[in-house]
């Protein structure tokens, strides 16, 4: 795997490992924000588990690229769902919640770019 793909995959994996762990542990601030979006604690934990699974897929994908592509694509789809929840809550129009809404957009762009980069290496 190329240096750029390895570095980008590692950074994405680190971000989602930390984010997924916070959701699995139901950290109060994270759980409160997701509850505001209409996401209950069971779904929050499920999202955290999917983020951790994506992390593991990206790491294992260092040795088997198709797994890394699937993991990056799955994380991108998960983030598109998060963007949908933020759109439904109208977070992009409220200054107080705008920063929470922009993060999934930026991460979706990064994970999408990671997916495309990994696809070019297959």
């Amino acid at each position: 795997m190329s240096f750029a793909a390895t570095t980008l995959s590692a950074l994405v994996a680190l971000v989602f490992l930390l984010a997924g762990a916070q959701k699995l542990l139901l950290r109060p601030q994270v759980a409160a924000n997701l509850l505001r979006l209409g996401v209950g604690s069971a779904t929050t934990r499920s999202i955290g588990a999917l983020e951790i699974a994506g992390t593991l897929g990206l790491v294992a994908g260092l040795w088997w690229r198709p797994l890394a592509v699937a993991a990056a694509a799955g994380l991108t789809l998960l983030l598109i769902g998060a963007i949908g929840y933020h759109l439904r809550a109208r977070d992009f129009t409220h200054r107080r919640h705008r920063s929470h809404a922009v993060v999934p957009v930026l991460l979706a762009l990064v994970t999408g770019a990671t997916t495309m980069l990994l696809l070019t290496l297959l």
Side-chain angles (χ1 to χ4, degrees):
M1 196 180 295
S2 74
F3 177 76
T6 302
T7 304
L8 199 52
S9 294
L11 290 173
V12 169
L14 180 61
V15 166
F16 280 99
L17 177 65
L18 297 173
Q22 289 187 22
K23 289 177 184 85
L24 274 176
L25 297 172
L26 287 177
R27 300 282 301 206
Q29 187 176 7
V30 174
N33 186 46
L34 287 168
L35 191 59
R36 182 185 60 75
L37 294 173
V39 179
S41 61
T43 305
T44 298
R45 283 199 167 136
S46 296
I47 293 168
L50 289 170
E51 290 175 347
I52 301 271
T55 296
L56 296 174
L58 284 171
V59 171
L62 293 173
W63 293 276
W64 193 53
R65 271 188 224 135
L67 184 58
V69 172
L75 290 171
T76 304
L77 292 173
L78 188 68
L79 288 164
I80 290 170
I83 293 166
Y85 271 88
H86 284 286
L87 284 170
R88 188 180 70 179
R90 300 184 191 276
D91 282 352
F92 292 97
T93 58
H94 296 104
R95 284 186 84 192
R96 182 173 181 222
H97 301 296
R98 194 171 296 144
S99 63
H100 293 286
V102 171
V103 170
V105 173
L106 296 175
L107 284 175
L109 291 172
V110 171
T111 57
T114 304
T115 304
M116 296 309 292
L117 179 61
L118 291 168
L119 275 171
T120 62
L121 298 173
L122 280 180

